[in-house]
Amino acid sequence: MRVVRTTKELREALEYMRMGGHTPIGFVPTMGYLHEGHASLIRRAGEMSSTVVMSIFVNPLQFGPNEDFASYPRDERRDLELAEREGADIVFIPSVEEMYPQPVLTKVSVGALTTQLCGASRPGHFDGVTTVVSKLFHLVQPDYAFFGLKDAQQVAVLRRMVSDLSMNVEIVACPIVREGDGLALSSRNVYLSGEERTQALVLSRSLRETRQAIEAGKVTTADEARQLLASVISTSPLAVIDYVEILTFPGLEALEGGSLISNAEGEIIMALAVKFGRTRLIDNNVFTPKEVHALV
Ligand code: PAF
């Protein structure tokens, strides 16, 4: 595995792999502090590509002024061990100065897909994500790029960016990886106290119970689904709801309150953002109501 820190070294390492015929190239962009979710992305990339490139870069552009950019967890040595174990070939770890040697005047923005859910709570966040991911795509020129569905809105936004800008890369969305007790893996889980972590299990439980209620025909409208999600979450005294939403996926259009879930075309997403102490967690479930309806 080669570790490169400058864009010049990255281009050289990629050129070497391309000259050797080690294509297609799979790319896993990350902000480090890797966990089993990232490991699953590297493995998927390895199945689909001959060269696996991973980037580790805590991108200041996607953090708001009062967010955790400075304190975001970092552990390069552990990250490199995991990357090597899982089969990455090239790891790109640029400094902020290397990525942004001058103030960034050019921004990539995906309009209406970034104004709801996390886009509403974290203004500017998705512009930071799409700007850095476009820059990384230009540097790596991957055939495939791998992202976890825990950040489902990010997947929807990046797919749209790739389509709108005719970028020659396929976005591969990979399933959410959970702890045995249901907590979705996130680098930010490290911030949770023992009690907060226990109470955070309510997120996956609310999604599971609401999905089961929909499948059993006990919950039929979007309003009922939102209410059930919120009422299960509210059984945790530490939980402070940021949003509980049910939308089309990947279009991210809100389902009208009284509309029947079973009438929705294509996939829908139940998406949550909830704070436990100072830690904001997200979780979601994407499914096709027509298939569920056929089961009922
Ligand atoms: O999902 C992440 O870790 C980040 O948003 C990404 C895609 C690496 C961009 O900084």
Side-chain angles (χ1 to χ4, degrees), residues 127-198:
D127 289 0
V129 171
T130 43
T131 301
V132 79
V133 172
S134 335
K135 181 158 173 131
L136 290 166
F137 281 179
H138 281 112
L139 289 167
V140 177
Q141 300 187 14
D143 299 284
Y144 306 109
F146 299 82
F147 296 89
L149 264 174
K150 188 172 81 65
D151 297 303
Q153 186 174 15
Q154 176 167 277
V155 169
V157 167
L158 291 174
R159 281 218 164 118
R160 185 60 187 251
M161 173 186 87
V162 161
S163 165
D164 284 351
L165 299 181
S166 305
M167 292 178 169
N168 199 14
V169 52
E170 184 184 323
I171 302 286
V172 182
C174 302
I176 298 179
V177 179
R178 297 179 182 279
E179 304 272 14
D181 57 12
L183 185 69
L185 294 190
S186 162
S187 303
R188 289 190 169 98
N189 289 351
V190 70
Y191 297 148
L192 297 167
S193 69
E195 183 52 29
E196 286 165 355
R197 195 202 170 288
T198 305

Side-chain angles (χ1 to χ4, degrees), residues 8 17-18 35-36 40 46 49 57 131 145 203 223 226 273 275 289 292:
K8 183 169 176 291
M17 295 312 253
R18 285 199 176 94
H35 50 64
E36 183 48 36
S40 74
S49 346
F57 179 60
T131 301
L203 299 190
D223 261 352
R226 278 188 208 104
K275 276 186 105 171
V292 167

